[in-house]
Amino acid sequence: MTEDRILTIQEVATRTSLSIPTIYRRIKAGEFPKQMSLGLNRVGWLESKVVEWINERQQKAA
């Protein structure tokens, strides 16, 4: 079993090619995986959820 990495907002933006404001707009609209709280002022995303979102977009485009 492999461990799931936690990605920062910068890593998510790089992987998805979306801007940070766009990511948060899509979360609010229910169109992107929600972040999880890592502390007082820190959030992250499970890598598996981001990869799953990317794969879904690729399948829709095909």
Side-chain angles (χ1 to χ4, degrees), residues 13-60:
T14 298
R15 287 201 182 194
T16 61
S17 298
L18 298 174
S19 70
I20 292 171
T22 297
I23 291 169
Y24 283 111
R25 275 195 300 275
R26 289 191 178 198
I27 290 169
K28 188 174 182 179
E31 301 170 354
F32 195 82
K34 289 187 177 183
Q35 72 275 31
M36 64 169 142
S37 177
L38 302 175
L40 197 55
N41 292 315
R42 189 103 171 135
V43 295
W45 286 258
L46 288 177
E47 183 176 34
S48 62
K49 297 291 184 183
V50 175
V51 169
E52 183 179 313
W53 182 87
I54 292 168
N55 290 339
E56 288 173 3
R57 296 301 158 286
Q58 289 175 335
Q59 288 175 0
K60 286 181 182 180

